[in-house]
Amino acid sequence: MVLKTRNTQSPTERAELHRMAELHGAMVFRLALRVVHNRADAEDIAQEVFVKFVEARRRASVTEPRGWLAITALNTARNLLRSEKNRRIRQEVWAERTAREHSDRECSANEPVDRDGAVWKAVDALPTELKFPLLLHYQEGLKYREIAEALRCPPGTVATRISQAKSKVQSILERNGALKP
């Protein structure tokens, strides 16, 4: 990931920015891509997230960088989707994505094969408060404690939301015939 740094950043901040991008850049990009379904937008979001990270570190408000980066990536991506100027583009991208679901998606080695995209479509249908903890835990491997800190809620709430998300995904898959009851 190539980062553009600002002139207002100190050499120490630029070094930290590059180190964090090296460690967590792929995760931030994957999460953004999972939400916006567009590589260029996901790259822009990743860039923005790391700049926000440096600014947040100046205020000493980041204690768990991985969780902070993950939730900031998801929120920044969600904010982009909300913007009016991107509504029409999103519709076009969604049509393209559906047509080439598997060629663009980056899969981890332990990710199960979802040949027709049914699982991802079910996950995309979840409300944000259920989708984000599910993605952070299963796609990015964050622990409940890390997710709880990032979402500013108790770990028990994270566990409940993940459990509810899994139940809802299962019922959506059963309803759509992708999973037998």
Side-chain angles (χ1 to χ4, degrees):
M1 166 180 257
V2 177
L3 290 173
K4 299 171 191 159
T5 57
R6 295 181 178 171
N7 291 337
T8 58
Q9 294 169 337
S10 71
T12 305
E13 288 174 330
R14 283 192 294 272
E16 180 179 20
L17 181 67
H18 286 286
R19 184 178 68 79
M20 294 307 290
E22 190 174 302
L23 288 172
H24 304 295
M27 174 195 66
V28 169
F29 176 78
R30 278 192 310 271
L31 288 169
L33 184 61
R34 184 79 228 128
V35 175
V36 298
H37 309 293
N38 178 290
R39 286 184 177 281
D41 287 342
E43 289 170 0
D44 291 345
I45 289 165
Q47 181 82 34
E48 185 177 341
V49 166
F50 284 104
V51 170
K52 287 179 180 180
F53 174 77
V54 169
E55 292 167 357
R57 284 295 269 238
R58 284 183 188 155
R59 297 185 307 270
S61 63
V62 178
T63 56
E64 285 282 343
R66 187 171 177 226
W68 189 94
L69 287 166
I71 200 65
T72 302
L74 290 169
N75 285 334
T76 303
R78 185 175 60 177
N79 290 342
L80 177 70
L81 289 180
R82 287 181 179 161
S83 71
E84 187 64 41
K85 118 184 174 198
N86 287 302
R87 284 193 199 281
R88 184 180 45 79
I89 295 168
R90 252 192 348 268
Q91 292 169 345
E92 293 169 9
V93 168
W94 181 255
E96 285 177 30
R97 177 182 172 255
T98 302
R100 56 182 165 85
E101 175 85 27
H102 300 287
S103 63
D104 279 354
R105 190 162 48 90
E106 294 181 12
C107 298
S108 65
N110 61 355
E111 185 178 0
V113 176
D114 181 16
R115 297 203 191 285
D116 63 355
V119 174
W120 285 118
K121 288 175 189 169
V123 170
D124 284 342
L126 293 173
T128 301
E129 77 253 2
L130 299 180
K131 183 186 337 186
F132 284 7
L134 187 76
L135 289 174
L136 292 173
H137 183 65
Y138 287 106
Q139 183 174 345
E140 298 307 326
L142 269 69
K143 295 179 171 82
Y144 286 12
R145 177 186 50 76
E146 294 173 305
I147 298 168
E149 185 168 320
L151 295 176
R152 295 185 179 101
C153 66
T157 301
V158 171
T160 299
R161 288 179 182 171
I162 289 173
S163 176
Q164 290 173 345
K166 288 173 17 181
S167 294
K168 285 191 182 269
V169 166
Q170 182 176 356
S171 67
I172 290 169
L173 292 172
E174 287 172 356
R175 189 173 52 243
N176 293 339
L179 185 68
K180 294 180 183 176

